[in-house]
């Protein structure tokens, strides 16, 4: 190999090594907290505060799991069901609303359409914490504070989901297919439900996953709206237990075990729906 070829090869190898090093560091940064959570959830309280987290001593996974669902009269099970209702049901209904709104912005003409869509894009940039106080005041006027609906209704409307719905509608639903359906005599609602919605399946799943993750991890809105512990989601309930752990150390093992179980639904959702999610992202990128 000539000297010129060797000189050209070295920067390429150096760049590849740098990229591999950055990827390895990113993977470690992502996986090490998860590994610590798994190991810590299997330890009793003494081993948890000791220096033998990696050893086989102090194994107490089953006992920690039993204590978790027995603590405070089984509140964690109630919190878990609440989170599933808020997140799964909220994400499903919210995804349907977002995709329908995006479809309407894409396929129909009405006055000030682009101005209204600009407001949707502006709403994407508004932090959710800023909206918590106005939402609380509105819920208070409606008599919904400290109820299931105070948390459930606000999560149904997601500006980013509307934006994605329009992008997917542009990429998945050809105007020619809709014109053919109109010629066949299909009404607008029938055409959307039987034709467009089936084409928007990957986009619907993508929006669902985004909203599921956001609602499941939602913390500030339930903290503002709820005072009844029976209505808490997992995120707020574990925060309350963690605050009590400084006084009652027996909460530490159950908080860690509860945190481990809290990530299971998100992992299952991404694993089961990844085929639709990947195709949806690819379609959006191509468009």
């Amino acid at each position: 190999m000539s000297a010129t070829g060797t000189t050209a090869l070295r920067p390429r190898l150096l760049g590849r090594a740098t990229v591999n090093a950055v990827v390895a560091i990113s993977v470690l940064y992502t996986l090490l907290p998860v590994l610590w959570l798994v190991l810590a959830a299997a330890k009793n309280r003494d081993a948890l505060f000791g220096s033998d987290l990696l050893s086989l001593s102090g194994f107490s996974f089953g006992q920690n799991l039993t204590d978790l669902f027995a603590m405070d009269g089984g509140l964690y099970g109630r919190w878990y069901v609440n989170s599933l209702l808020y997140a799964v049901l909220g994400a499903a209904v919210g995804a349907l609303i977002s995709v329908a709104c995006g479809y309407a912005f894409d396929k129909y003409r009405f006055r000030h359409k682009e101005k209204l869509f600009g407001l949707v894009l502006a709403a994407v940039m508004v932090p959710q914490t800023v909206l918590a106080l106005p939402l609380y005041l509105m819920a208070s006027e409606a008599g919904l504070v400290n109820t299931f609906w105070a948390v459930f209704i606000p999560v149904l409307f997601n500006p980013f989901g509307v934006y994605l719905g329009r992008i997917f509608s542009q990429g998945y639903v050809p105007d020619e297919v809709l014109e053919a359906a109109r010629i066949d005599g299909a009404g607008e609602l029938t055409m959307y439900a039987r034709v467009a919605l089936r084409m928007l399946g990957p986009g619907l799943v993508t929006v669902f996953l985004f909203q599921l993750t956001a609602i499941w991890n939602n913390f500030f809105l339930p903290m503002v709206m709820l005072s009844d512990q029976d209505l808490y989601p997992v995120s707020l309930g574990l925060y309350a237990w963690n605050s009590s752990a400084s006084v009652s150390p027996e909460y530490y093992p159950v908080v860690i075990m509860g945190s481990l179980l809290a990530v299971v639904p998100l992992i299952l959702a991404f694993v089961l729906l990844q085929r639709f999610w990947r195709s949806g992202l690819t379609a959006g990128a191509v468009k």
Side-chain angles (χ1 to χ4, degrees), residues 107-190:
K107 300 304 180 185
Y108 295 108
R109 295 180 180 179
F110 48 89
R111 293 184 61 186
H112 308 301
K113 182 177 79 170
E114 295 303 326
K115 293 180 181 178
L116 291 174
F117 191 69
L119 291 177
V120 172
L121 295 180
V124 173
M125 297 180 286
V126 178
Q128 294 300 310
T129 53
V130 175
L131 301 177
L133 181 57
L135 288 173
Y136 174 81
L137 295 177
M138 294 170 62
S140 179
E141 290 293 329
L144 297 177
V145 174
N146 200 33
T147 66
F148 169 84
W149 303 107
V151 177
F152 182 75
I153 293 177
V155 302
L156 298 180
F157 306 98
N158 182 9
F160 184 64
V162 176
Y163 166 75
L164 288 179
R166 183 174 185 177
I167 296 298
F168 285 120
S169 178
Q170 292 172 347
Y172 274 98
V173 186
D175 293 336
E176 294 80 6
V177 175
L178 299 182
E179 289 299 327
R182 290 191 180 99
I183 293 174
D184 290 339
E188 295 299 323
L189 290 178
T190 302

Side-chain angles (χ1 to χ4, degrees), residues 1-10:
M1 182 180 294
S2 64
T4 304
T6 304
T7 304
L9 184 60
R10 286 177 181 174

